[in-house]
């Protein structure tokens, strides 16, 4: 373990002592907000200090085992003890380093997942429908709930744009790596000469904003229009102006929702999507200002950046960020994304560990 990481652990150990002293003071108990804040911080630090104590004990055991190596009669026993102690040290060091990684503030949130057809015309719209099915099947496997917020269908049953909300445990943690450009190579249904075409869609994954954040939008910055919904829905959907379009005037962002029969519900959903988009844009701007960009799993954040290719003639899918190629395209298109997501998460964690080691 690098000394810089060891120093971080020592500081956390000292901080735990400070927290215990502060929590024992009468003034702290009287200030409930302060008390909750300190209690929460202590709950985050204590498990790490427990691991640190275990590591220190394992290191002491290794030192004792090395002393045994000097005694010919105890040498064999010392070698066994040293090997076990070194194994424990290695495991505890890895666990401690992972525990020090910064937590994603959006962990635990639901998401909005948007799919838009890009280059490729009708074939791109059909691929957007395939991607929607992919994520819907994956959501089923994870026992998540997927709701369609709005959809702009194409002539052949594809989507020019579709916005979904996915609800469930671990949704953001697992799907946050899906943002970017998705490219497909195959023979379109509209192709008469059997030629392979390349089309593309963009996917945007955004954490759902807190309700309070959504309510803080300035009404003066919004233009809200209602219109008659189109598509399936029976007689009601053709007779009432239940669909809602919200325009955020300062940024020009436009969100529509016509999934519900109630205008009120459509407005609430559209407001939630708008809040998520604004928060996403604000975070991207902050990251750019910080100038702390390293090669990330979603690249620069440009949603047109190619991250994955689905090659149907060869039955393969390639994630270009980690150079991962799988020859099981049918399974992936049926929602089996775990192998890809696990590989992306592991790479992300490795980059975080490397950055942690570089910090002083």
């Amino acid at each position: 373990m690098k000394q810089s990481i060891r120093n971080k652990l020592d500081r956390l150990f000292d901080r735990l002592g400070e927290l215990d002293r502060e929590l024992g003071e009468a003034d702290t108990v009287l200030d409930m907000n302060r008390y909750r804040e300190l209690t929460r911080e202590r709950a985050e630090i204590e498990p790490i200090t427990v691991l640190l104590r275990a590591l220190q004990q394992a290191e002491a055991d290794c030192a004792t085992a090395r002393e045994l190596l000097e005694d010919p009669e105890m040498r064999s026993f010392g070698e066994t003890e040293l090997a076990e102690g070194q194994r424990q040290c290695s495991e505890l060091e890895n666990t401690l380093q992972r525990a020090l990684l910064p937590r994603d503030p959006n962990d635990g949130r639901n998401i909005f997942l948007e799919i838009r057809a890009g280059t490729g015309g009708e074939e791109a719209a059909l691929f957007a429908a395939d991607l929607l099915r992919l994520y819907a099947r994956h959501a089923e496997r994870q026992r998540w709930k997927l709701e369609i917020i709005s959809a702009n269908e194409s002539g052949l049953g594809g989507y020019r744009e579709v916005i979904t909300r996915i609800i469930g445990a671990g949704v953001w943690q697992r799907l946050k790596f899906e943002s970017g450009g998705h490219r497909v190579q195959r023979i379109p249904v509209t192709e008469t000469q059997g030629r392979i075409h390349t089309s593309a869609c963009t996917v945007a994954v955004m954490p759902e904003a807190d309700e309070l954040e959504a309510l803080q939008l300035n009404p003066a910055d919004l233009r809200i229009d209602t219109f008659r919904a189109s598509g399936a829905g029976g007689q009601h959907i053709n007779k009432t102006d239940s669909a809602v379009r919200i325009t955020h005037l300062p940024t020009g962002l436009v969100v529509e929702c016509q999934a519900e029969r109630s205008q009120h519900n459509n407005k609430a959903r559209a407001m939630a999507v708008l809040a998520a988009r604004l928060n996403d844009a604000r975070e991207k701007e902050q990251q750019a200002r910080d100038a702390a960009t390293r090669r990330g799993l979603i690249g620069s954040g440009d949603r047109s950046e190619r991250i994955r290719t689905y090659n149907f003639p060869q039955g393969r899918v390639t994630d270009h960020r980690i150079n991962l190629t799988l020859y099981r395209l049918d399974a992936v298109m049926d929602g089996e994304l775990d192998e890809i997501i696990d590989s992306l998460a592991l790479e992300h964690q490795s980059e975080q560990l490397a950055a942690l080691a570089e910090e002083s």
Side-chain angles (χ1 to χ4, degrees), residues 136-347:
R137 293 288 291 123
H138 185 69
E140 289 177 10
R141 295 173 186 276
Q142 301 296 322
R143 300 184 184 278
W144 298 334
K145 181 181 179 182
L146 184 146
E147 302 173 345
I148 293 181
I149 302 298
S150 69
N152 182 359
E153 298 182 10
S154 68
L156 296 180
Y159 293 99
R160 297 182 182 88
E161 176 187 87
V162 58
I163 301 174
T164 68
R165 178 177 182 240
I166 305 181
I167 307 160
V171 173
W172 169 254
Q173 292 96 314
R174 299 293 289 172
L175 292 184
K176 62 184 176 183
F177 304 114
E178 292 300 298
S179 289
H182 295 242
R183 184 176 69 172
V184 62
Q185 296 172 326
R186 64 184 177 186
I187 301 173
V189 295
T190 55
E191 170 60 47
T192 59
Q193 300 182 24
R195 294 173 299 185
I196 297 174
H197 288 223
T198 298
S199 303
C201 290
T202 58
V203 173
V205 180
M206 300 170 294
E208 186 175 31
D210 290 334
E211 289 185 12
L212 289 177
E213 291 176 342
L215 292 174
Q216 288 172 1
L217 291 173
N218 186 350
D221 291 339
L222 305 177
R223 185 177 72 236
I224 301 176
D225 302 309
T226 59
F227 57 98
R228 189 160 299 176
S230 60
Q235 294 181 348
H236 168 87
I237 205 165
N238 294 317
K239 291 185 177 180
T240 63
D241 291 339
S242 60
V244 174
R245 179 187 298 111
I246 301 178
T247 304
H248 186 246
L249 299 175
T251 62
L253 284 175
V254 179
V255 177
E256 294 182 0
C257 184
Q258 55 180 306
E260 300 285 341
R261 296 168 67 91
S262 161
Q263 184 184 113
H264 176 77
N265 290 342
N266 281 330
K267 179 182 176 181
R269 287 193 172 204
M271 287 286 286
V273 174
L274 178 60
R277 285 186 180 177
L278 290 171
N279 284 345
D280 184 61
R282 186 172 58 207
E283 289 181 6
K284 294 294 186 295
E285 290 174 3
Q286 182 62 49
Q287 291 168 6
R289 285 196 298 268
D290 290 343
T293 53
R294 292 183 297 270
R295 185 181 63 85
L297 293 175
I298 59 173
S300 64
D302 180 357
R303 299 255 163 70
S304 64
E305 183 178 350
R306 182 190 66 179
I307 64 167
R308 192 175 299 152
T309 295
Y310 306 77
N311 186 299
F312 278 73
Q314 297 179 17
R316 65 172 170 84
V317 56
T318 299
D319 196 289
H320 303 287
R321 296 164 292 182
I322 53 176
N323 295 319
L324 173 68
T325 296
L326 303 176
Y327 286 90
R328 47 197 303 271
L329 178 60
D330 289 346
V332 170
M333 297 305 297
D334 197 42
E336 294 185 15
L337 285 174
D338 284 342
E339 187 172 356
I340 296 175
I341 292 174
D342 289 343
S343 298
L344 288 166
L346 182 61
E347 176 70 11

Side-chain angles (χ1 to χ4, degrees), residues 47-68:
I48 300 177
T49 61
V50 171
L51 289 170
L52 179 57
R53 291 192 188 97
L55 175 60
Q56 292 170 338
Q57 182 59 56
E59 289 173 338
D61 293 341
C62 285
T64 301
R66 290 190 183 94
E67 293 177 0
L68 295 176

